[in-house]
């Protein structure tokens, strides 16, 4: 599913460069639930941006579902993000003036799916995260946990190959965080490939496998605790 | 996708109603200025043109410039009622003074024939017009304009004027007729007190040449004015041995066209000024759209992350600017209609109508402004980097 090999990413700062990633190679198999763990500043977010096709590596090869990402234009990358990746962010990133239903519908609109099909997919995604009764609310009218569930619904509505979650429980209390992790677990059991980025070892323990990142490099790879 | 972009754009306009309204206000006022001003000018011009038409555009004025080779009365008469030419009226203009007791009234004296009144479309109120025997006999008779009769005989004496005698430049004239009041706008342009005498009398009184230097020609029917013009021109060229500078032909149609030209220029000028205010409205829209792009940076980041292409973001913001312009334009047009209706209730003899073409121009221009001033903010939004946009607080 994901094949990274020899990935380098440096950011220009003043006269010099700051290391983002240095010679990172890793792979994630189909239907795997992988946690990428590391302290802040370790390069997790850079890795997530590259895996998520929001950014491209300076050097190295990245293949998503056997597509060599570095060869694509920005428009192609937008299309890959749209069809192959579902994003879940720490701060939910729902659009505030749109209802939950409309937020979930948005990536389907960008995919050019017809109205009837969109309705069916939204319906399914809402049911999967248990938000059917909150569909007409705007994000501000529901709790943080519900917002994150809406964001997950948006991520799975396009039936992507990969769900990429960046600190999905970071803004939630521990009980709600557990609920969200239960949801990810359910999705994983249903066959979804999930990459979850976190600094929280407790969260990482609930994945199948963890990859530790430190100073922009893969420090250690091991089994998660929840398999 | 375009339909979805329109839906999204309308939604975000709707989400910020008061800001949207204030932004649109520039366009609303600009469109109102454009539509109202141009409609006023066009309606006024149409009304003036109609009056010129009613005065008879089937009329030519011929001026002879070659004084050495004057036209005789018989030359002029020979043109009448041949081919496309209808009536021909020789005109000798002079001024005179009429003694009225101790008072002297200055009048404009026109030496002419019976056809003159037909060409001019004058109507008789009392008595009769000039007749051929008056010309043949050099009779000292006169037809007075209503205004002249009123000035000489007083308002109550007009009816009794026919049969009276007036003394003009020491010659006594028998008043044989009084014309009806002339309400056409050209009467205002003429000298107020006009009196008409046989052209032969004018010729006898005139010092120097006794030729005819001006005459009016009407067409046999309204559609043949161009043919009549050609015919008169041919005859005159024969008379003046091909010298085109010996005479000057003026068609009322030409006057009417010149009038239209002037008003079109005027409409263009006013339209231009209104267009400037529309332009200013457009700058307002660009300003607000730029603010909106900055405010919604994070939203743009989200949209890009979940797969919006540059094109989708560009069209969303462009359509939003366009929607602001076009809604403003429609409101402006509606208000213009209301303003014209209100103006119409105050003006009895002039109706101001919506000029369809100016409405079309307003719509086209608003669209143009929406695109031009929406493009830069939309382009700015479209080229935001998704990661930086997502980080934006």
């Amino acid at each position: 599913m994901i094949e990274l090999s020899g990935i380098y990413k440096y950011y220009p700062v003043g006269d010099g460069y700051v290391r983002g990633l240095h010679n990172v190679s890793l792979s994630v198999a189909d239907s795997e639930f992988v946690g990428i763990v590391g302290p802040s500043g370790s390069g997790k977010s850079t890795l997530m941006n590259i895996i998520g096709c929001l950014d491209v590596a300076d050097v190295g090869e990245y293949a998503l579902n056997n597509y060599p990402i570095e060869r694509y234009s920005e428009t192609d990358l937008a299309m890959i993000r749209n069809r192959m990746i579902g994003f879940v962010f720490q701060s939910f990133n729902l659009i505030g003036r749109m209802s939950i239903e409309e937020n979930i519908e948005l990536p389907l609109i960008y995919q050019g799916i017809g109205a009837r099909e969109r309705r069916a997919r939204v319906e399914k995604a809402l049911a999967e995260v248990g938000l059917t009764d909150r569909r007409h609310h705007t994000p501000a009218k529901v709790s943080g946990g519900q917002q994150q569930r809406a964001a997950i619904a948006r991520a799975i509505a396009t039936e992507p190959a990969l769900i990429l979650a960046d600190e999905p429980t970071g803004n939630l209390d521990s009980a709600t965080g557990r609920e969200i992790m239960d949801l990810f677990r359910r999705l994983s059991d249903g066959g979804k490939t999930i990459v979850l980025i976190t600094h929280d070892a407790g969260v990482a323990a609930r994945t199948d496998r963890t990859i530790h990142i430190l100073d922009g490099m893969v420090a250690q790879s091991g089994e998660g605790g929840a398999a | 996708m375009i339909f979805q972009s329109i839906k999204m754009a309308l939604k975000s306009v709707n989400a910020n109603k008061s800001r949207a309204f204030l932004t649109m206000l520039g366009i609303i006022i600009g469109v109102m200025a454009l539509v109202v001003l141009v409609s006023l000018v066009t309606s006024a011009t149409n009304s003036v043109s109609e009056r010129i038409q009613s005065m008879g555009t089937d009329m030519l004025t011929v001026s002879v410039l070659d004084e050495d080779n004057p036209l005789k009365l018989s030359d002029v008469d020979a043109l009448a009622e041949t081919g496309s030419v209808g009536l021909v009226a020789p005109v000798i203009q002079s001024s005179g003074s009429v003694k009225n007791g101790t008072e002297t009234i200055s009048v404009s004296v026109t030496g002419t024939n019976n056809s003159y009144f037909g060409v001019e479309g004058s109507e008789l109120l009392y008595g009769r017009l000039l007749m051929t025997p008056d010309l043949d006999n050099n009779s000292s008779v006169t037809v007075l304009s209503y205004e002249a009769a009123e000035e000489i005989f007083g308002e109550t004496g007009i009816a009794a004027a026919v049969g009276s005698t007036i003394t003009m430049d020491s010659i006594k004239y028998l008043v044989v007729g009084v014309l009806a009041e002339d309400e056409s706008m050209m009467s205002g342009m003429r000298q107020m007190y006009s009196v008409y005498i046989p052209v032969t009398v004018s010729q006898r009184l005139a010092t120097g040449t006794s030729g005819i230097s001006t005459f009016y020609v009407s067409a046999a029917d309204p559609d043949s004015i161009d043919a009549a013009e050609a015919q008169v021109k041919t005859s005159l060229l024969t008379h003046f041995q091909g010298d085109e500078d010996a005479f000057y032909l003026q068609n009322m149609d030409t006057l009417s066209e010149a009038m239209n030209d002037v008003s079109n220029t005027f409409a263009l000028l006013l339209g231009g000024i209104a267009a400037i205010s529309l332009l200013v409205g457009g700058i307002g829209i660009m300003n607000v759209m730029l603010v909106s792009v900055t405010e919604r940076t994070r939203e743009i980041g989200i949209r890009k992350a979940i797969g919006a292409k540059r094109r989708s973001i560009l069209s969303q913001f462009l359509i939003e600017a366009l929607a602001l312009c076009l809604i403003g334009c429609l409101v402006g047009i509606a208000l213009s209609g209301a303003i014209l209706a209100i103006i119409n209730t105050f003006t009895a003899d002039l109706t101001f109508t919506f000029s369809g073409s100016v409405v079309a121009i307003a719509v086209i221009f608003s669209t143009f402004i929406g695109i031009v001033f929406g493009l830069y903010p939309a382009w700015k939004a479209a080229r935001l980097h998704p990661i930086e946009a997502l980080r934006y607080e």
Side-chain angles (χ1 to χ4, degrees):
Chain A
M1 166 66 56
I2 294 174
E3 283 294 340
L4 291 176
S5 64
I7 296 285
Y8 288 81
K9 182 79 188 177
Y10 279 74
Y11 296 102
V13 173
D15 292 338
Y17 286 88
V18 161
R19 179 196 283 184
L21 294 173
H22 185 88
N23 194 18
V24 171
S25 300
L26 59 86
S27 59
V28 175
D30 259 354
S31 308
E32 231 189 330
F33 186 3
V34 174
I36 293 177
V37 195
S40 69
S42 59
K44 294 191 307 281
S45 294
T46 307
L47 187 57
M48 132 121 192
N49 288 339
I50 287 173
I51 294 175
C53 299
L54 291 165
D55 209 349
V56 283
D58 298 333
V59 181
E61 280 166 22
Y62 169 31
L64 176 62
N65 245 4
N66 298 323
Y67 288 98
I69 294 308
E70 63 277 2
R71 290 207 200 137
Y72 292 104
S73 70
E74 203 187 297
T75 305
D76 292 334
L77 290 181
M79 209 148 78
I80 289 168
R81 287 197 295 271
N82 183 237
R83 294 179 188 220
M84 294 172 61
I85 303 169
F87 285 94
V88 180
F89 299 95
Q90 178 174 4
S91 50
F92 324 132
N93 279 344
L94 297 164
I95 295 173
R97 58 198 162 69
M98 297 170 95
S99 69
I100 282 171
E101 188 177 49
E102 288 165 336
N103 268 289
I104 298 169
E105 197 183 8
L106 199 56
L108 301 172
I109 290 173
Y110 287 131
Q111 213 174 100
I113 292 175
R116 188 176 304 171
E117 170 79 12
R118 286 206 304 269
R119 265 199 302 279
R121 296 244 203 134
V122 169
E123 206 64 52
K124 192 169 161 229
L126 279 168
E128 204 146 354
V129 300
L131 271 185
T132 307
D133 56 335
R134 292 277 187 272
R135 60 196 306 162
H136 299 301
H137 291 62
T138 54
K141 297 269 169 64
V142 301
S143 72
Q146 285 169 329
Q147 286 188 52
Q148 195 59 299
R149 280 196 274 159
I152 292 168
R154 181 179 64 188
I156 60 176
T158 54
E159 290 167 8
L162 168 70
I163 294 172
L164 194 55
D166 181 15
E167 302 277 10
T169 57
N171 282 12
L172 303 172
D173 61 67
S174 54
T176 318
R178 270 197 300 281
E179 273 175 39
I180 293 298
M181 286 311 293
D182 289 344
L183 183 51
F184 277 121
R185 171 49 56 194
R186 231 175 36 238
L187 290 170
S188 169
D189 292 345
K192 297 272 184 229
T193 311
I194 302 172
V195 172
L196 188 150
I197 287 157
T198 183
H199 69 280
D200 184 339
V203 170
R206 299 202 57 192
T207 63
D208 295 344
R209 179 161 70 95
T210 55
I211 297 169
H212 289 265
I213 296 281
L214 197 62
D215 298 332
M217 291 185 283
V218 177
Q220 164 199 356
S221 192
E223 292 291 307
Chain B
M1 191 65 220
I2 277 290
F3 174 70
Q4 290 298 335
S5 297
I6 292 171
K7 229 168 119 181
M8 283 181 204
L10 289 180
K11 239 188 165 135
S12 66
V13 169
N14 195 40
N16 242 322
K17 283 194 201 69
S18 60
R19 183 204 279 187
F21 172 73
L22 288 172
T23 314
M24 280 188 260
L25 207 54
I27 298 292
I28 293 174
I29 292 171
V31 166
M32 257 163 56
L34 183 72
V35 174
V36 171
L37 288 180
V38 175
S39 291
L40 286 183
V41 172
T42 334
S43 300
T45 310
N46 286 344
S47 151
V48 170
S49 294
E50 266 167 38
R51 286 186 196 198
I52 290 179
Q53 297 282 340
S54 75
M55 251 163 44
T57 50
D58 55 340
M59 181 181 135
L60 297 171
T61 305
V62 183
S63 310
V64 176
L65 307 170
D66 183 357
E67 289 181 5
D68 300 332
N69 196 7
L71 285 175
K72 293 197 283 292
L73 189 57
S74 54
D75 298 331
V76 175
D77 284 342
L79 285 170
E81 285 168 36
T82 59
S84 308
V85 176
L87 301 172
V88 174
V91 175
I92 296 178
Q93 289 283 1
S94 59
S95 58
S97 33
V98 174
K99 275 250 151 62
N100 185 16
T102 53
E103 244 186 299
T104 305
I105 300 154
S106 294
V107 293
S108 155
V109 185
T110 305
T112 187
N113 64 8
N114 187 48
S115 298
Y116 180 89
F117 306 100
V119 173
E120 281 278 297
S122 308
E123 284 180 32
L124 189 66
L125 188 62
Y126 298 118
R128 64 169 175 88
L129 297 171
L130 297 174
M131 300 203 306
T132 315
D134 297 328
L135 274 75
D136 293 346
N137 301 331
N138 293 337
S139 309
S140 296
V141 294
T142 182
V143 173
L144 304 179
S145 70
Y146 185 89
E147 294 79 8
E150 190 180 30
E151 184 68 15
I152 298 165
F153 296 102
E155 209 182 331
T156 49
I158 297 174
V162 175
S164 312
T165 315
I166 61 165
T167 307
M168 181 162 66
D169 298 330
S170 315
I171 298 169
K172 281 187 192 311
Y173 292 87
L174 177 68
V175 177
V176 293
V178 175
L179 298 179
E181 219 167 341
D182 184 1
E183 282 173 349
S184 81
M185 58 159 278
M186 288 299 266
S187 70
M189 293 183 196
R190 286 203 210 97
Q191 269 182 296
M192 282 300 273
Y193 311 127
S194 299
V195 305
Y196 306 92
I197 61 173
V199 65
T200 48
V201 176
S202 285
Q203 278 180 308
R204 221 178 45 186
L205 293 174
T207 49
T209 80
S210 60
I212 304 297
S213 59
T214 306
F215 60 96
Y216 296 162
V217 177
S218 73
D221 65 82
D223 297 329
S224 63
I225 187 68
D226 291 332
E229 184 174 348
Q231 191 186 326
V232 170
K233 196 169 177 184
T234 314
S235 305
L236 290 174
L237 279 174
T238 314
H239 180 88
F240 291 108
Q241 279 118 33
D243 181 5
E244 285 199 32
D245 297 330
F247 59 92
Y248 176 66
L249 268 171
Q250 191 190 29
N251 193 332
M252 277 299 264
D253 256 353
T254 323
L255 179 70
S256 163
E257 275 165 27
M259 188 90 191
N260 276 337
D261 276 353
V262 168
S263 78
N264 281 344
T265 311
F266 201 52
L268 209 62
L269 185 78
L270 283 175
I273 294 170
I276 290 173
S277 70
L278 258 179
L279 213 62
V280 173
I283 293 171
I285 286 195
M286 176 152 87
N287 212 351
V288 169
M289 289 309 296
L290 281 173
V291 170
S292 174
V293 167
T294 308
E295 267 182 4
R296 282 150 67 188
T297 299
R298 202 181 170 89
E299 176 190 324
I300 294 164
I302 297 169
R303 285 175 185 270
K304 286 200 147 190
I306 62 173
K309 296 178 191 137
R310 277 189 177 183
R311 188 157 27 107
S312 316
I313 302 287
L314 186 88
S315 64
Q316 185 196 339
F317 281 87
L318 195 58
I319 288 170
E320 211 172 305
L322 206 56
L324 284 174
C325 274
L326 285 179
I327 294 170
C329 177
L330 291 182
V331 173
I333 288 170
L335 287 178
S336 305
I339 289 175
L340 288 176
I342 291 169
I343 292 176
N344 277 335
T345 61
F346 290 107
T347 52
D349 50 349
L350 203 55
T351 315
F352 295 107
T353 50
F354 241 175
S355 153
S357 56
V358 77
V359 169
I361 288 171
V363 173
I364 291 168
F365 201 64
S366 302
T367 310
F368 173 75
I369 281 185
I371 290 172
V372 166
F373 290 101
L375 206 53
Y376 175 63
W379 174 78
K380 232 183 130 174
R383 63 186 277 275
L384 281 173
H385 196 280
I387 297 173
E388 276 148 33
L390 275 172
R391 264 193 223 127
Y392 188 87
E393 292 297 332

